[in-house]
Amino acid sequence: MKVVYVLDPDLSELPKTTDDDAVARMAERKKRGEDEFLCREYILNSFTDRLYDLYSQLKSTKEIWKALEHKYDTEKQGADKFIAFKLFEFSMSDNTSILDQVHEFLILISKFKNLNITIPDQLVVGGIIAKLPPSWNDYRKKLLHTTEDFTLEQLQKHLRIEEETRNREKDLNVANASIDIQKQQTWVKKRTEVHEKTNEKESEKANVVEEKDYNEIIVGLCV
């Protein structure tokens, strides 16, 4: 729609009509009025019912537009502060993939471009290293004490290798623990079987002794 020009804050008022240009000015004023009406209706019709009821009370198209600009500028400022807060409060945990969390961190960084703020890659690299979880403290120290300056891509490569290594070691430890449990269960089972056999033999011996004693008693009574 070619009516957006009516929102231009620098749009000048139409000059007063004179006898010489009465017809031309009237046509121009009519078109300006129609364009303002169309623009106003177009804006209002794009609102939800709640916003329509709120802004339809404003008669001027420019009034509506200024009110909208103020509303969304205020919201944007709040959102910008929230982005900064999220960045400073961002922390990584051991419960989620490190690379996934790095990706989330980089998404936060990218949002600063909307604020016309450019964060150097080396600062981003340092931020990622600083945000690593406590279980990565030794690896963090290793990165901080190296003389090599990592690019963002190189750091992500190093983190990927380290995470894959840790995952393999974790799987190996789980497998070894499972084997140890199986060995322990086998040992307990054998120990139980030996114990049961020993009890059976002792029970058989006791029965033999009891039977022998009984027979001796019977013989003694018969003598």
Side-chain angles (χ1 to χ4, degrees):
M1 297 180 67
K2 297 181 179 181
V3 295
V4 70
Y5 74 92
V6 300
L7 298 175
D8 186 353
D10 297 326
L11 182 66
S12 59
E13 296 289 336
L14 292 175
K16 294 182 179 181
T17 303
T18 62
D19 294 337
D20 296 333
D21 58 4
V23 176
R25 293 299 181 193
M26 287 179 62
E28 192 174 354
R29 287 182 183 279
K30 180 181 178 182
K31 183 179 184 307
R32 175 76 65 86
E34 290 175 348
D35 288 347
E36 287 187 355
F37 175 80
L38 288 174
C39 187
R40 181 177 183 276
E41 291 303 306
Y42 181 79
I43 293 173
L44 291 176
N45 287 332
S46 66
F47 289 160
T48 61
D49 291 342
R50 185 180 67 82
L51 290 178
Y52 183 91
D53 293 339
L54 179 64
Y55 288 99
S56 61
Q57 301 177 28
L58 302 176
K59 301 302 180 183
S60 167
T61 307
K62 286 186 178 181
E63 283 182 318
I64 296 175
W65 193 250
K66 286 181 180 179
L68 285 174
E69 284 183 332
H70 177 72
K71 170 181 168 55
Y72 289 105
D73 284 347
T74 302
E75 290 182 355
K76 185 177 183 301
Q77 290 174 3
D80 294 345
K81 292 178 181 178
F82 183 67
I83 292 173
F85 175 80
K86 287 189 68 176
L87 180 66
F88 290 127
E89 292 295 314
F90 185 88
S91 62
M92 298 186 189
S93 69
D94 294 314
N95 301 325
T96 307
S97 165
I98 292 297
L99 291 178
D100 288 346
Q101 294 178 88
V102 168
H103 180 66
E104 184 180 350
F105 183 78
L106 293 177
I107 290 176
L108 279 176
I109 294 295
S110 68
K111 291 182 178 180
F112 280 85
K113 292 182 179 179
N114 297 331
L115 307 178
N116 295 322
I117 298 175
T118 301
I119 301 179
D121 284 352
Q122 285 302 313
L123 191 58
V124 176
V125 167
I128 292 173
I129 295 174
K131 299 292 185 179
L132 291 173
S135 63
W136 287 60
N137 280 344
D138 291 340
Y139 190 74
R140 181 193 294 112
K141 292 178 182 178
K142 176 182 175 182
L143 292 176
L144 290 174
H145 286 87
T146 185
T147 57
E148 180 183 359
D149 289 332
F150 296 119
T151 64
L152 189 54
E153 291 74 16
Q154 288 173 332
L155 176 63
Q156 292 182 83
K157 180 180 178 180
H158 284 298
L159 293 177
R160 182 182 299 107
I161 294 172
E162 178 66 15
E163 185 168 40
E164 290 174 353
T165 301
R166 288 174 178 242
N167 288 337
R168 283 196 298 269
E169 291 177 350
K170 186 184 298 183
D171 292 340
L172 183 60
N173 291 336
V174 170
N176 290 337
S178 178
I179 292 173
D180 290 340
I181 291 174
Q182 291 177 358
K183 288 181 178 179
Q184 186 176 9
Q185 290 175 342
T186 301
W187 181 83
V188 171
K189 182 179 179 181
K190 289 182 178 179
R191 184 72 179 271
T192 302
E193 290 175 351
V194 170
H195 184 68
E196 289 176 349
K197 288 181 179 180
T198 301
N199 289 340
E200 288 177 0
K201 290 181 179 180
E202 291 179 353
S203 178
E204 289 175 358
K205 288 180 180 180
N207 291 335
V208 170
V209 171
E210 289 179 0
E211 185 177 355
K212 182 179 179 182
D213 292 343
Y214 175 77
N215 291 334
E216 289 177 352
I217 292 172
I218 296 299
V219 172
L221 291 175
C222 294
V223 174

